[in-house]
Amino acid sequence: MKKTYLLNSEISEVVARLGHTDLLVIADSGLPIPDGVKRIDIALTKGIPSFKDTLNTVLTELGVEKAYIAKEMIDKNNDLYLYLLELFGEKLILISHEDLKAMSKNARAIIRTGEYKPYANIILESGVEF
């Protein structure tokens, strides 16, 4: 049995296969998932699992070079924006929600959470850990 914090086999496999600059999306329950992109649906019910819990768990195994969020989050979900700003600092890049959806077409996978708060979506760009 795996000893690390991340136990979901699908997510763990995707993280292990990511190369430098590959994209992984963690999404709320409403983000459209483009055809052709791997969907890892872990949503159980409203709010479970949460965006933050999912993100924090993924970050135990994924090195992140950049993180992209929709600038609309600043007004519509400011608590989450401030949390992400503290977590990622200068690695956090603001783009429009439309650009985020377009960028998600290039993701290796999208993890769909049970999050019900608006604009709780992030694109993580894999970094190099050496």
Side-chain angles (χ1 to χ4, degrees):
M1 179 144 187
K2 200 170 170 181
K3 289 173 66 174
T4 60
Y5 194 69
L6 177 58
L7 297 178
N8 182 288
S9 62
E10 280 187 281
I11 297 172
S12 190
E13 179 184 1
V14 166
V15 170
R17 291 179 182 274
L18 292 176
H20 185 218
T21 73
D22 283 342
L23 305 178
L24 176 65
V25 177
I26 299 176
D28 60 27
S29 58
L31 187 73
I33 297 176
D35 290 337
V37 176
K38 180 177 180 72
R39 172 195 297 252
I40 303 174
D41 195 338
I42 60 173
L44 294 175
T45 190
K46 184 177 180 179
I48 299 174
S50 73
F51 173 87
K52 279 185 183 179
D53 287 343
T54 305
L55 174 63
N56 290 332
T57 302
V58 168
L59 291 178
T60 66
E61 292 195 10
L62 177 63
V64 174
E65 186 166 281
K66 295 177 189 172
Y68 301 86
I69 61 169
K71 59 186 173 187
E72 290 88 345
M73 185 189 291
I74 295 171
D75 292 327
K76 303 293 185 185
N77 196 346
N78 192 256
D79 289 343
L80 182 57
Y81 166 70
L82 294 174
Y83 177 80
L84 295 173
L85 184 60
E86 184 174 325
L87 186 62
F88 290 107
E90 64 187 34
K91 293 180 182 180
L92 191 65
I93 298 169
L94 300 173
I95 59 177
S96 73
H97 187 61
E98 290 304 314
D99 287 346
L100 186 137
K101 289 190 291 187
M103 239 179 121
S104 72
K105 293 176 183 176
N106 297 317
R108 297 288 182 196
I110 297 177
I111 303 168
R112 181 180 175 260
T113 69
E115 189 63 61
Y116 255 53
K117 295 178 183 167
Y119 299 100
N121 306 294
I122 193 165
I123 298 176
L124 304 171
E125 183 177 307
S126 181
V128 175
E129 293 297 303
F130 56 85

